[in-house]
Amino acid sequence: MFRRIVTGLLLLAAVAGAAYALGFAGPLVGKPELRQAGSPPAINPASIQRIDYNPDSYRRMAEDGRLELLVNDAGHIRVRDKQGDFVWRSDPDTRLEPDLKGLWKSNADSPFIVDYVDAAKQSTGVLINTANGSDAKTRTTIAPVEGGAELMFDLQTLGIRFKTVVRLKNGYLEVSVPSDQIAESAGKQVVSIWPFPFFGAVQKQAIQRDGYMLVPLQMGALVPMKAEHQLQSRVSAKIYGSDDAIPGQPGTYTIFPAFGMKRDDHSYLAVIEEGEATSTVHATPAGLYTSFHWIAPQFVYRNEYFRQTSKLGAGYKTVEKTRSTENRRIRYYFQNGSKADYAGMAADYRSYLMETQGMKKIAPDANGLPLFVTLYGGAEENGLFSPNFVPVTTFEQGIDILKGLHASGIGPIHVLYNGWAKGGDRSVMPDVPPAEKGLGGDEGLRAFAREARKQGDRVYLQADFTRSRLNGSFVPSRDVMRDINNKARYDERLGENEYVNPASVALRLFEEHVGSYEALGIDGMYFEGLGSLYSDYRSSPPATRADAAESYRKLLRLAKERLGFTGAAEGNSYLIGQLDFVQRMPIGVSYDLVATKAVPFLPIAVHGLVDYSGEWGNLRETGTTDYLRSIEFGAVPHYLLTYEDPALLRHTPGDFIYSSQYDVWKQQIASEYKRWNEALGPVRGLFISGHRELADGVFETRYENGTAIVVNYNDTAYSAGAITVKPREFAVVGKEG
């Protein structure tokens, strides 16, 4: 009897389990009988025959005066640079590494890598898989197009297809992945595509003299390819850093979308010009995975994120259901001989910026190098019943500072007034007119702007439209940025919530207030916050990071149209074409353990097109070294000043200022500016043509007119021929030097 009861219960459980699977689990596990109408049948990978391509089946698909493009049957490419008679190839010779087997052997032999997920396995977590041409039994179809070829990759075992278009255009190679040519079936979803990941890959022993990979960390950094790497790790640079709308997403300090490789007398620069805000650059040294050095872009179509399922923080990792619809496009420029280095790469990036963003040379100024000064008005501290405003530079005192600086021989001054609005430095909306009464109010600010203009100076007001407090223009339930889990993004500061504005809201708020700025008679605006690029997952309207970048560009264009001049921090690529100056460009050292050497790629690319500064001269972390670094990289002088002792700000948001009083700094500023102007004033509007290390700790920056500036960071003098540079000093060498 007992056995019969147990057997009956087991049968009932089996029937119930089958009913549950059919009624609930079916859509998740992909039961054929529950598939949506029209969905493709399940794929049996074992039934698909592997395709073996002839690696030598290259055909010339395009040619111009500079380059020749060849494609083989598998979809690999080779680009012959006629000027250097050198061939760049996407198919490294894996026969040179006989021990290379398995996944990384097939990755290196493939013209692409695809990361994907199985949609049926995302209910309790996600496992991202990797596929390549061989493992996915890919069928490649090649069709000629003007200037190149279309490569259709059909990953037969996954039901994924995508097209890559390669073309020669005006002396460069264009590689694009059209979004509307990506197809998914059989429940497999594309997470990312790596086009030609081993393009230019090289083994260490093949480098005869010098080789490195240029990665977009800070102003630029190098991963050496000749020396041994003690740390077996790769550099992964997410373009424009992490997206705050994606919880847990890693980020890096990356403000330009370019990378490159140098191999002895040959190099290339790659610029991601479409889809860059959702791309990551990976530089992998030899010894990690393979014996090849290789650098590649990863185009991300679905973000991995932590999906929160309870207010207590429980959840699981998954990827977005919807695939990004952005097209992806990248340019490859090639350099040879003396131009095959990071300076030559930067020159091509400069040309790219001038072509695509309309950047033009700075007009010469007979009055000398401009001095940039941030004047700090004041800030609030907590009071017994309400906040108290602490003024440290009134508008009248600001006029006195400008007159004093001019009297000491300083040329044109560009003023950034911070902490000028009601409440002072609070860094968020509604920091718009009226001006703080404790500084002199609107009339005092207008008088300051008039007096500055009489002396040939410019006045910029500092503002941040990317964060808001409650005000008449901002309604959190409608306007606040929401992350992928639909959570409103905000922080608490000074007892109030500070909400993160989507870029479209920042644009709208500035449009509403730009007339008030015009009425103050200022020359321009300096914007904080535009260097952070976030998606926005509000239901209406959602926005991508590319949408955010376009909103910021519209904001800057409106500011230039209505006010005259614009500035921002850091110099992100999507902003720089709309800027007249960049504050705090990252011109420091590299702290990456793999990309061990910082190089001035970005300063070389933009010098002569836009003014830029490093850190404030009176708040330098390393004193003389930071001063010399600014001279070496062509930066303009910039100081943060207050009329009163900054100790008054110790209980305010201005507590970061430890030394800024004008009377304390005026003599040193005048002395440094005099030498700064003598060195960089004559070359302010010129391009940097070269940069090199002459000896350990000694660097030369050369300009297009032949002028060179040699900087010696050592504690001993440097001498070479007729040149002598004192310890921790610099020297200007003329055309004949």
Side-chain angles (χ1 to χ4, degrees):
M1 175 66 72
F2 178 77
R3 286 183 179 177
R4 291 177 185 171
I5 293 173
V6 171
T7 302
L9 290 174
L10 290 173
L11 287 171
L12 286 173
V15 171
Y20 172 81
L22 289 171
F24 297 95
L28 296 178
V29 300
K31 292 282 184 180
E33 61 270 29
L34 294 179
R35 288 184 180 275
Q36 295 181 355
S39 61
I43 293 175
N44 179 10
S47 67
I48 301 173
Q49 186 174 1
R50 179 189 178 99
I51 301 174
D52 292 319
Y53 294 99
N54 178 6
D56 298 323
S57 57
Y58 278 94
R59 303 187 304 276
R60 185 172 62 211
M61 304 302 295
E63 186 175 11
D64 61 20
R66 171 72 188 271
L67 303 173
E68 182 182 20
L69 173 64
L70 300 98
V71 180
N72 78 354
D73 292 344
H76 272 295
I77 63 171
R78 292 182 181 178
V79 180
R80 185 170 75 88
D81 186 347
K82 298 177 183 179
Q83 289 188 1
D85 193 23
F86 185 80
V87 176
W88 293 91
R89 49 189 289 181
S90 68
D91 56 334
D93 189 353
T94 53
R95 293 172 299 180
L96 299 174
E97 189 177 352
D99 295 332
L100 183 62
K101 295 180 176 64
L103 175 64
W104 281 105
K105 170 68 164 63
S106 53
N107 280 346
D109 286 334
S110 175
F112 63 82
I113 296 174
V114 170
D115 298 316
Y116 70 95
V117 294
D118 190 332
K121 299 178 181 179
Q122 290 194 62
S123 59
T124 57
V126 62
L127 174 63
I128 297 179
N129 303 286
T130 298
N132 54 56
S134 174
D135 295 345
K137 298 180 180 178
T138 301
R139 180 179 296 279
T140 303
T141 305
I142 301 172
V145 296
E146 183 179 357
E150 290 182 345
L151 317 175
M152 178 61 77
F153 297 111
D154 183 359
L155 285 66
Q156 299 179 93
T157 62
L158 302 180
I160 291 173
R161 297 191 312 277
F162 68 94
K163 180 182 289 185
T164 300
V165 184
V166 290
R167 284 191 174 97
L168 299 184
K169 286 190 172 182
N170 299 320
Y172 64 85
L173 171 71
E174 179 187 87
V175 175
S176 60
V177 181
S179 178
D180 62 0
Q181 296 297 309
I182 299 174
E184 302 166 325
S185 61
K188 305 299 190 295
Q189 297 178 332
V190 173
V191 174
S192 62
I193 295 175
W194 307 51
F196 306 118
F198 282 81
F199 185 75
V202 60
Q203 291 184 306
K204 180 183 66 177
Q205 58 268 29
I207 305 295
Q208 297 178 5
R209 295 181 305 280
D210 187 22
Y212 49 73
M213 294 179 283
L214 170 73
V215 293
L217 298 181
Q218 300 185 68
M219 67 174 178
L222 305 181
V223 179
M225 300 197 305
K226 184 73 173 174
E228 293 288 342
H229 285 269
Q230 300 301 317
L231 183 66
Q232 288 297 300
S233 180
R234 71 166 25 148
V235 175
S236 294
K238 180 169 179 55
I239 305 300
Y240 305 141
S242 60
D243 186 344
D244 199 42
I246 311 294
Q249 185 180 78
T252 48
Y253 192 4
T254 302
I255 61 177
F256 62 90
F259 61 93
M261 175 181 285
K262 171 180 168 61
R263 295 174 53 176
D264 294 322
D265 294 332
H266 313 280
S267 66
Y268 74 76
L269 173 75
V271 181
I272 307 173
E273 62 173 336
E274 193 170 7
E276 71 273 24
T278 48
S279 299
T280 299
V281 172
H282 300 277
T284 307
L288 182 66
Y289 310 133
T290 75
S291 65
F292 293 96
H293 296 285
W294 56 285
I295 185 168
Q298 178 190 17
F299 294 152
V300 179
Y301 292 88
R302 286 181 169 91
N303 284 296
E304 183 180 8
Y305 72 101
F306 183 80
R307 183 178 181 184
Q308 191 171 330
T309 57
S310 78
K311 293 183 178 180
L312 298 177
Y316 57 90
K317 277 191 173 183
T318 186
V319 297
E320 294 177 278
K321 293 181 179 179
T322 304
R323 187 180 76 238
S324 167
T325 59
E326 293 175 359
N327 294 323
R328 313 303 165 99
R329 188 169 69 250
I330 186 168
R331 295 186 184 190
Y332 289 83
Y333 295 93
F334 302 92
Q335 305 83 33
N336 288 288
S338 62
K339 296 182 179 180
D341 60 8
Y342 56 82
M345 298 179 198
D348 278 329
Y349 188 56
R350 178 199 304 134
S351 298
Y352 169 80
L353 292 174
M354 296 177 73
E355 174 197 339
T356 60
Q357 299 196 28
M359 298 186 74
K360 298 179 180 178
K361 273 193 171 184
I362 298 171
D365 191 337
N367 295 317
L369 194 70
L371 172 71
F372 283 77
V373 173
T374 294
L375 292 181
Y376 194 90
E380 288 182 336
E381 63 182 4
N382 291 328
L384 184 60
F385 299 106
S386 61
N388 297 320
F389 180 72
V390 180
V392 287
T393 312
T394 67
F395 300 130
E396 286 189 357
Q397 291 170 338
I399 293 174
D400 290 342
I401 290 175
L402 296 186
K403 288 181 177 179
L405 291 172
H406 283 302
S408 65
I410 289 174
I413 300 173
H414 295 187
V415 181
L416 286 60
Y417 225 119
N418 187 12
W420 59 273
K422 184 179 179 180
D425 180 17
R426 303 181 75 181
S427 298
V428 294
M429 279 287 293
D431 280 352
V432 295
E436 169 59 44
K437 291 183 179 179
L439 300 177
D442 285 357
E443 284 305 315
L445 179 52
R446 291 190 187 97
F448 174 80
R450 285 194 301 270
E451 185 61 33
R453 191 173 292 110
K454 287 180 184 178
Q455 300 181 65
D457 301 333
R458 290 183 195 168
V459 176
Y460 298 78
L461 294 184
Q462 188 162 341
D464 187 348
F465 284 86
T466 67
R467 300 176 73 85
S468 289
R469 300 186 303 275
L470 290 176
N471 63 77
S473 300
F474 181 86
V475 180
S477 61
R478 177 194 67 195
D479 296 327
V480 68
M481 188 265 278
R482 292 185 175 273
D483 69 15
I484 198 169
N485 287 311
N486 199 36
K487 293 182 63 176
R489 304 297 296 179
Y490 67 90
D491 299 302
E492 185 176 318
R493 186 182 182 203
L494 296 176
E496 294 181 272
N497 286 340
E498 287 187 1
Y499 298 93
V500 178
N501 297 339
S504 60
V505 172
L507 172 60
R508 193 202 78 214
L509 292 173
F510 182 67
E511 289 172 337
E512 293 174 358
H513 293 95
V514 65
S516 299
Y517 289 107
E518 280 184 301
L520 293 173
I522 59 172
D523 300 290
M525 296 289 296
Y526 170 79
F527 295 97
E528 292 280 2
L530 303 189
S532 297
L533 203 58
Y534 303 144
S535 303
D536 178 26
Y537 287 88
R538 291 180 299 165
S539 59
S540 179
T544 65
R545 298 227 294 175
D547 295 331
E550 180 56 28
S551 290
Y552 289 152
R553 285 191 291 268
K554 288 180 179 178
L555 186 154
L556 291 171
R557 285 195 291 266
L558 178 61
K560 289 177 75 72
E561 176 186 335
R562 298 283 293 272
L563 301 172
F565 300 94
T566 58
E570 298 174 341
N572 297 57
S573 177
Y574 56 88
L575 302 176
I576 201 163
Q578 300 296 326
L579 299 178
D580 295 288
F581 78 94
V582 176
Q583 183 187 7
R584 301 196 307 275
M585 180 177 282
I587 57 175
V589 299
S590 174
Y591 296 103
D592 192 89
L593 297 177
V594 179
T596 53
K597 183 177 181 180
V599 293
F601 173 85
L602 190 58
I604 293 172
V606 302
H607 190 277
L609 301 176
V610 63
D611 287 319
Y612 53 89
S613 69
E615 290 293 339
W616 292 299
N618 54 302
L619 298 179
R620 298 175 186 135
E621 293 184 3
T622 56
T624 302
T625 298
D626 284 350
Y627 167 64
L628 292 175
R629 194 173 286 127
S630 292
I631 299 294
E632 178 190 353
F633 300 147
V636 296
H638 193 173
Y639 300 84
L640 185 154
L641 298 177
T642 57
Y643 194 85
E644 307 291 350
D645 189 338
L648 297 172
L649 300 169
R650 60 186 177 275
H651 300 303
T652 76
D655 59 359
F656 69 95
I657 306 173
Y658 56 85
S659 180
S660 62
Q661 193 167 10
Y662 168 64
D663 280 343
V664 174
W665 279 94
K666 59 184 179 182
Q667 291 184 348
Q668 183 168 339
I669 292 174
S671 175
E672 288 186 351
Y673 173 82
K674 182 176 184 297
R675 299 202 61 214
W676 216 311
N677 186 42
E678 290 172 351
L680 297 182
V683 298
R684 177 190 173 214
L686 300 181
F687 295 152
I688 294 175
S689 60
H691 181 270
R692 57 177 177 159
E693 187 171 9
L694 300 178
D696 187 26
V698 182
F699 296 87
E700 176 195 78
T701 304
R702 188 167 292 274
Y703 291 84
E704 60 179 316
N705 68 346
T707 298
I709 296 177
V710 180
V711 178
N712 180 12
Y713 291 93
N714 300 315
D715 293 326
T716 56
Y718 167 79
S719 295
I723 302 173
T724 298
V725 187
K726 296 178 181 179
R728 300 185 66 77
E729 266 290 358
F730 68 89
V732 179
V733 182
K735 297 180 182 180
E736 70 283 356

